Amino acid sequence: MSLSLGAPLALILGALVALPVLAHMARQVPRERKAFGAMLLLHRVVKRLKRRRRVKDPLLLLLRVLAVALIALAAAAPELSYPDGVPEFGGSGRVVVVLDRSMSMGSVQAGTTLLQRAREDAVSLVGELPDGVAVGLVVYDTDAVAVTSELTTDHARVAAALTATQPSYGVSNLRAGLLEARRLLGGEPGEVVLFSDEAGPGQVADARPELEALLSLGSSVVPRTVRAEPARNVAIVSARYGDGLEGGQVTVRLMNYGPDAIEVPCEVTLPDGASIPIFADLPPAGPAEERITIPTEAEGGVGSVSCEDPDLPADDARYFHLPRVGASRVLVVDGDPGDTPIRSEVYFLERALAPWGGLKSGVTIDVTTPVGLLDLEPERHRVVFLANVADPRPFGPRLTEFVRKGGSVVITGGDNVTADRYNAALAGVLPARIRSSRSIADRDEEGVPADMPDLDAELFGPFRRGGRDGFRRVRTHTLLTLEPFDAADDVQVLLRWSNGMPALIERSLGSGRVLLWTSTLDLGWGNLPLQSVFMPLVQRMVGYLGGDAGAGAARIDAVVGQPVAVPLPDLAVEPKVLGPDGEAVRSRIDGQRLLFTPEAPGAYQLALESAPPLAWVAANVPAEESDVRAYDSVVAAEREIAPELLTRRIDLAGFAWVLALALVAAQGLAGLRGSAA
Amino acid sequence: MASSEPVYDAEVLARVRHLHLRARTLTDALLMGEHRSRRVGQAVEFADYQEYLPGMDLRGLDWRVWGRSDRYVIKRFETETELPCTVVLDLSGDLGTGDRAAHSLPDLEGTKAGYAIVLAATLLYFLHRHGEPVGLEIVAGQGVPHVSLPPRGGRNHLQLLFLLLAKVRPGGTAGLREALTRVGGRVRRRSWVALVSDGMEEPSTWLPALAAFARRGADLRFFHVHDPREWALDFDQPALFFSPEGGEALAVDPGGAQAAFDEVVREYVAEVKGGVVRFGGRYLPVPTHQPLDAVVRAAVLDDARALADLGGLT
């Protein structure tokens, strides 16, 4: 707040304040002298009046000094300027109403959502605009839409469009809203009336360039903020099943955006419909984490966590992927049980894949003999290890069909492997035809080491963090040799021995894969099981091949309102997307991808006729919209950008004149009353 | 103390004649009658009966009444005796002001002093005509020494008093406390005392001096002489008011101070009256526009109507 003077020289008149002071100092003495015989009484009167004048005289002097000072001030044309709360509205004749319909506008207070309040305010504003004022409407969440393609004087149409605006699950994108408003204004000045809660961090800062652009055009942005006071919301910001070695629990993170501590009842619902109630204690404006143990057996799919929170219902549920728990997904076909553990692939695989048991790891393995392959269940098993199996011919077609349906097979070498039988039985799925087994070093020697793997390969991704050098210590003295083959998109050599011969080859068939390890998984031909890379490599191999995913379906996380692309295998039939309510959702296929946009949070699946889902999509609301607290304000940003726009000026000269005259009158009255003695 | 100063001044003699004439005229106008002392005592003339109360002198019991009616009553008688009368006249400088006096002397027209002198002369003449010895105490003034003439009878004594009254002029300060203490200590017991003054000194200083009169059993009348215009502060223009007795002058706008002045006057009168009554005296407000016959009648004859005319103050 500051005071400026239009005519500062007029303050010289302020020197006139000396006049009343001098007048008080030199009180007028009557000229007439009169003998008076009752001076005793007069002295008493004067004494009494002096007691009153002690108060009255300074007051009189003050009144006179103030009167003169105010006259001088009025003559100096004072003007008071101060920063106002919001820009002034009205007068431009061009108005764009910008309405925020993002998820946070769904906050409820007193039974009404912020969006409802904003809509009513906006409709009221439009209704009060004079005829002839051109109005436009922009609605924004993640994106902005100009509901009216241009400014219109049809106020009723704008009001109807406002009334029809529905809440969304989108993120506030104020910048997009202001950009669209600027487009509607067409580069001409106008007024942008913004109905928003201004909630969430960074929203206003992100929109600052657009604010600057609008203000530089001579437009003004008039925020009509609707906000719950105080802002409260409890949100589930994440829910995740702890897979792998740490599996067995769902970790739920909640956030309390309100100022008070609160206890919230929640419920975890598993894909099979089972529910687990929990209570979460949340500190004021702080997070909480809850871990829920999943039953020993649970169906894979998409589960949910929900909590009871009346403030913003939209973010009170969160969906998470849950692998099939307690069911075997890895079938190890033991072709050579061996007489000692070191000569048994099963021994090493069991300890690598489920060191603490299958229930905890989320990966359990079934061990069977080659005859057991006749019981191969694509619904149950996703990865099959053929460990030194002598003759795969009886179940070759079944394995081939298994791979074509999306299953995966890992073939390892061994003394029992016979090239002709394998080439004959698995010709359609083998990465390369097997020539023979070949010794490349004496058994007493260390053997040939493996090369360093290419970390760009998806299989070796986890080794980016470390452990890559461990592959150099993997050696073999015998290996399977292969017929010459051409590496192509569907056949890749993932790892080689240092002599250049393939160590690990992959062939993809749709979503199915076949890995061929040219050595053994026990200590028969090499030392892999004793190396540090063995356990992570095997676990990664299983994960890579889909053995830890429920029913082998792809698991995709999505955000409501944002398009989802699901990679498709070679399929004869087109899958369809089923929404949370079981109804088909509009989708389209773009090459090898299926595209669709989830419009509501929940579990979506790519379903095939008489087959497990190809993919599960857990669609959640954007977590950033849950933070309903106000961080920055548009007004503050405008004040920084163009402080003069938010400065109010009041001409004080008129007030000063009126007050001065009032004081002159008051001192006159006081003077009359006080001039008795 | 009697003045032995010879009187030759023709002007003074004229004043004496004027005073005498005025006093006589006023006195003649008063209702003449038998003067009786108000003192009740054992004398020859029966006054009335009073019911006997324990502690009363048994000598006054009327045994005949007791014999007839078996009641105890005391016979009371009026005493016929001389009543020494003293007029105490305050002629301090403040009494020289005023312009509304109904009675005055030629060179003191309208002033309180003139009125007070005529009042004193009238009282003296009236009392003298009724055979009472009269005396005069002048406690302030100029032109004569402060005299103290104790009550005496005789025409010559009265002429002396008139001569003094004709010569005295207002001036100086009264010093009421000392003057009244001095006079009160030498008045005869059970005498009649008229104090004629404006009382314009701080009452708390001089009112206690009236105790000297009470101790002597004097029948004190305080004639509070004042100019009605002064007590109403009835002046048009602001002026620098000053006292003839000296002291600080005050610049006052009468219009603005009117209300406060009225309040002060009321408080002052109540204070003086209360002090006089407390010491057994009678308070008589005497505005100078008041005809003297009413004043004298109220003061000397205890005329109820005259008292009412003076404001009902007793």
Side-chain angles (χ1 to χ4, degrees), chain A residues 212-257:
Chain A
E212 290 175 351
L214 277 166
L215 296 180
S216 66
L217 282 176
S219 300
S220 62
V221 178
V222 185
R224 295 286 172 89
T225 308
V226 287
R227 188 175 292 156
E229 293 292 347
R232 298 176 192 276
N233 183 31
V234 173
I236 302 170
V237 293
S238 76
R240 182 176 173 81
Y241 177 74
D243 56 358
L245 298 180
E246 299 172 353
Q249 288 183 324
V250 172
T251 302
V252 179
R253 290 191 175 85
L254 301 99
M255 181 69 192
N256 177 16
Y257 295 103

Side-chain angles (χ1 to χ4, degrees), chain B residues 179-196:
Chain B
L180 294 178
T181 302
R182 184 175 66 246
V183 173
R186 64 191 179 207
V187 296
R188 292 186 191 174
R189 297 186 65 81
R190 297 181 177 177
S191 61
W192 188 93
V193 177
L195 171 58
V196 180

Side-chain angles (χ1 to χ4, degrees), chain B residues 59-78:
Chain B
R59 286 178 299 178
L61 273 176
D62 189 332
W63 298 105
R64 290 183 181 177
V65 173
W66 174 75
R68 288 198 301 270
S69 62
D70 201 21
R71 292 170 56 209
Y72 294 100
V73 294
I74 300 291
K75 289 181 69 175
R76 300 208 302 174
F77 301 90
E78 288 189 352

Side-chain angles (χ1 to χ4, degrees), chain B residues 20-75:
Chain B
H20 193 276
L21 179 62
R22 179 63 60 91
R24 193 180 68 185
T25 306
L26 288 168
T27 302
D28 289 346
L30 294 172
L31 180 64
M32 301 296 293
E34 194 70 22
H35 169 68
R36 296 187 187 278
S37 167
R38 292 180 63 249
R39 286 186 294 148
V40 177
Q42 295 202 355
V44 292
E45 192 164 344
F46 170 73
D48 61 0
Y49 286 108
Q50 183 182 5
E51 200 73 28
Y52 171 78
L53 295 172
M56 285 185 170
D57 191 353
L58 291 176
R59 286 178 299 178
L61 273 176
D62 189 332
W63 298 105
R64 290 183 181 177
V65 173
W66 174 75
R68 288 198 301 270
S69 62
D70 201 21
R71 292 170 56 209
Y72 294 100
V73 294
I74 300 291
K75 289 181 69 175

Side-chain angles (χ1 to χ4, degrees), chain A residues 575-630:
Chain A
K576 55 183 179 181
V577 181
L578 299 180
D581 54 358
E583 296 294 323
V585 174
R586 192 174 60 181
S587 62
R588 66 185 175 87
I589 292 178
D590 178 20
Q592 291 296 307
R593 301 182 306 167
L594 181 143
L595 301 174
F596 77 99
T597 302
E599 298 295 340
Y604 293 77
Q605 56 177 301
L606 263 68
L608 290 170
E609 288 286 341
S610 305
L614 275 177
W616 283 103
V617 177
N620 286 296
V621 296
E624 59 265 40
E625 274 297 296
S626 296
D627 190 350
V628 294
R629 296 172 294 187

Side-chain angles (χ1 to χ4, degrees), chain A residues 28-30 32-46 48-50 52 673 675-677, chain B residues 94 97 112 200-203 230 235 239-243 250-253 256-257 261 263-264 267-268 271:
Chain A
Q28 187 178 6
V29 177
E32 185 185 358
R33 290 174 60 84
K34 185 175 284 293
F36 192 67
M39 288 300 287
L40 170 72
L41 305 179
L42 213 48
H43 275 292
R44 287 189 174 187
V45 169
V46 171
R48 183 167 299 186
L49 289 176
K50 273 185 175 175
R52 297 176 189 169
R673 293 177 60 85
S675 61
Chain B
D94 281 347
T97 64
K112 289 176 285 185
M200 278 300 151
E201 291 183 21
E202 194 57 53
E230 286 183 345
F235 302 101
L240 194 61
F241 291 89
F242 67 97
S243 168
L250 296 174
V252 173
D253 175 8
F261 194 82
E263 190 179 341
V264 164
E267 293 171 3
Y268 165 74
E271 183 182 4

